[in-house]
Amino acid sequence: MSAVKIRITFLGTGTSTGIPMIGCHCAVCTSSDQKDKRLRTSILVESQATTIVVDTTPDFRYQMLRMQNERLDAVLFTHPHKDHIAGLDDVRAYNFFQHKPMDVYANALTAEALKREFAYVFADKKYPGIPDINLYTIDESFFSIGDIPIQPFTVWHHKMPVYGFRVKNFTYITDANKIDEPVKEVIKGSEVIVLNALRNEHHVAHFSLKEAVSLVNELRIPEAYFTHISHQLGKHESVENQLPSNIHLAYDGLMLDV
Ligand SMILES: [Zn+2]
Ligand SMILES: [Zn+2]
Ligand SMILES: [Zn+2]
């Protein structure tokens, strides 16, 4: 393992609707606790030399403004659902002041969706000022972006393959409810894991809180943070207080040095 230091920043930790959800007056959506305000799920992965965002949510622009982020080397996508790709157009700002195309890494399924949903970006005749993107299709082979080493792997989101990523001893998984046994071997040995935990009730495409806790225990990962949280899960503070001491709910703005 290289000695490169990695910082993770949670840009958003909410499910597809975000919290508060438009029109909802539940206790979570009306909570005054800042930790109950969740933009859509995304993280920043940074070394001294390289900055990567995992997914560009509908909140991407505001997330980057909020973190005062002024440098981005690449976008890495997990899967093509709208709450993970919708903000891609706003990489234009980085094109303008970094004076170069944005490198975008996605599996074949996601790359295909990006070409469909952002057709104007990939058109032969381009309107001036649209995003300038270099799209790289990745598979589960190990690769690096700058000095950040990345091991992609596939997890299951109902029937959709989603990429999780291991960066040194940090593993990031959003939008999954099933992990194949051989993939568990890729994850084991991580010191910190991020998993999605949508709500208490079972869901067809996401781990519930209980399922996420038992997976952390099964994989014997010492430290875990849950993300992609629904307003149905409850208030941050009360859920956090019920969790084992090594397992936490993530919240927007949380930073981890891994
Ligand atoms: Zn999602
Ligand atoms: Zn609500
Ligand atoms: Zn999804």
Side-chain angles (χ1 to χ4, degrees), residues 184-217:
K184 289 180 182 173
E185 299 306 316
V186 178
I187 299 166
K188 279 181 187 167
S190 297
E191 281 160 20
V192 180
I193 191 169
V194 175
L195 286 174
N196 64 129
L198 186 75
R199 61 185 191 189
N200 290 305
E201 297 76 29
H202 180 75
H203 188 274
V204 68
H206 289 277
F207 290 124
S208 66
L209 187 69
K210 211 192 214 173
E211 289 166 343
V213 169
S214 68
L215 186 61
V216 173
N217 292 335

Side-chain angles (χ1 to χ4, degrees), residues 16 79 81 83-84 157 174-175 206 228:
S16 56
H79 70 302
H81 278 159
D83 54 322
H84 297 260
H157 185 31
T174 183
D175 293 57
H206 289 277
H228 211 288

